[in-house]
Amino acid sequence: MIEAWILRMDSLSLLVAVALLSVETVKDLILRHQPGKRFLETLASLSTQIPYILGELFFTTATVIVYFTVYEFVTPLAIPVTVGTLVLALIAADFVYYWEHRLAHQIRLLWISHAVHHSARVMNTAVAFRFGFFESPWAALIHLPLILIGFHPLVVFAAQVAVLVYQTWIHTELIGKLGVFDKVFNSPANHRVHHGCDAKYLDRNYGGILMLWDRLFGTYQAEEETPRYGLARDFDSVNPLKVWFSEYPALLRDLAAARSVAEVRGYLFKRPGWRPSS
């Protein structure tokens, strides 16, 4: 039952994405809104699915093995699968996603993969499928505590998929502000802020479904001016290889120049842009 629900959510996500992307493409052509540039950005976004899916063939299998092993041999008390616990699992997964997402912005080793998602200079539905190669193992690791407290692995998988599928429709400029909805839920307006590289928009609105976590932890920002999308640094490439590995060359240069173990640790685990005080 849960497996079928996961497949239906994936199918729904794809249908919504195709519909929105079709309208966005037609709009770009009619308004002559840099259709060539935006089309190349769309292709670059979709190209990230090539390494991502190849990685998933390994990461998903490994995650399934680890989750079910932990659930069978380590989890002290199983939580029964009911409508109520499914809702609870979804809320818990949304809370975990907030921290998964926030830490991916604050730890450089995680950022080098998540930056792929943020490197597009346009905002359209294709960006919802713009993933870095190593995002899945990080997501699997940080959701592992949900298995330890007793949620069934399939319930955790379904909740993770639901949080991600929800976000398909929010990567667009077709939908404006939604009033009260924006205050409670993640929305196109809230997520446009998240993709902005303007100083006031950096590191804001990490939530997956709910904006509750951003409001609780002080990271909420309403959309005001239209954001400038993309990385804060100068990155405009639509070359798939450069998009896939945009952050790796700089990290490797920094690690090669490190003069101590402390500097290596800093380059890997401190914020992107960190430099030794000396």
Side-chain angles (χ1 to χ4, degrees):
M1 174 184 170
I2 295 177
E3 299 97 317
W5 188 48
I6 292 173
L7 290 174
R8 281 198 291 270
M9 284 193 292
D10 280 336
S11 299
L12 176 62
S13 173
L14 186 59
L15 286 173
V16 170
V18 169
L20 284 173
L21 193 56
S22 298
V23 175
E24 288 166 338
T25 302
V26 171
K27 179 183 175 184
D28 290 341
L29 289 170
I30 292 174
L31 298 181
R32 298 182 180 179
H33 189 192
Q34 295 183 302
K37 164 71 172 172
R38 294 175 72 86
F39 181 69
L40 290 175
E41 281 280 17
T42 296
L43 291 182
S45 293
L46 296 178
S47 77
T48 64
Q49 287 290 297
I50 297 171
Y52 181 76
I53 290 173
L54 290 175
E56 284 293 273
L57 296 175
F58 170 77
F59 295 137
T60 301
T61 301
T63 301
V64 168
I65 292 171
V66 171
Y67 276 15
F68 274 93
T69 300
V70 170
Y71 184 76
E72 292 295 333
F73 298 105
V74 181
T75 299
L77 183 64
I79 297 174
V81 180
T82 66
V83 173
T85 59
L86 286 172
V87 172
L88 184 61
L90 180 60
I91 295 171
D94 196 51
F95 173 75
V96 171
Y97 177 83
Y98 171 87
W99 287 105
E100 171 197 336
H101 198 180
R102 183 169 177 173
L103 291 173
H105 281 250
Q106 296 176 341
I107 297 173
R108 192 178 184 187
L109 188 61
L110 302 176
W111 172 248
I112 61 171
S113 191
H114 186 59
V116 174
H117 184 67
H118 281 269
S119 60
R121 289 292 183 196
V122 305
M123 174 59 76
N124 65 14
T125 308
V127 177
F129 299 91
R130 190 174 178 125
F131 294 132
F133 182 70
F134 287 110
E135 295 205 62
S136 288
W138 166 232
L141 178 63
I142 199 169
H143 284 83
L144 185 58
L146 297 184
I147 305 295
L148 289 169
I149 64 177
F151 287 111
H152 191 277
L154 288 179
V155 170
V156 175
F157 282 128
Q160 284 182 263
V161 170
V163 173
L164 292 177
V165 165
Y166 174 87
Q167 295 178 70
T168 304
W169 74 285
I170 64 176
H171 292 82
T172 186
E173 293 181 306
L174 290 176
I175 302 170
K177 296 182 180 180
L178 299 175
V180 175
F181 187 91
D182 290 336
K183 297 181 183 301
V184 180
F185 296 99
N186 203 359
S187 65
N190 286 327
H191 206 62
R192 287 193 292 268
V193 166
H194 179 70
H195 277 265
C197 61
D198 314 272
K200 70 187 295 182
Y201 291 153
L202 283 177
D203 299 329
R204 294 285 183 251
N205 298 2
Y206 295 111
I209 297 176
L210 298 172
M211 286 290 99
L212 169 64
W213 319 119
D214 287 283
R215 292 185 178 279
L216 280 176
F217 299 113
T219 54
Y220 180 74
Q221 170 65 51
E223 183 182 48
E224 295 171 357
E225 305 86 21
T226 300
R228 178 175 182 264
Y229 305 115
L231 301 177
R233 69 179 180 86
D234 184 22
F235 182 84
D236 259 336
S237 180
V238 292
N239 180 320
L241 288 176
K242 290 184 177 179
V243 170
W244 300 353
F245 304 111
S246 63
E247 303 303 300
Y248 288 81
L251 176 61
L252 292 175
R253 286 195 298 269
D254 287 340
L255 292 176
R259 295 166 295 179
S260 67
V261 173
E263 288 190 5
V264 169
R265 188 167 59 246
Y267 284 130
L268 289 174
F269 299 109
K270 290 186 181 293
R271 294 183 66 90
W274 175 87
R275 288 290 180 269
S277 58
S278 60

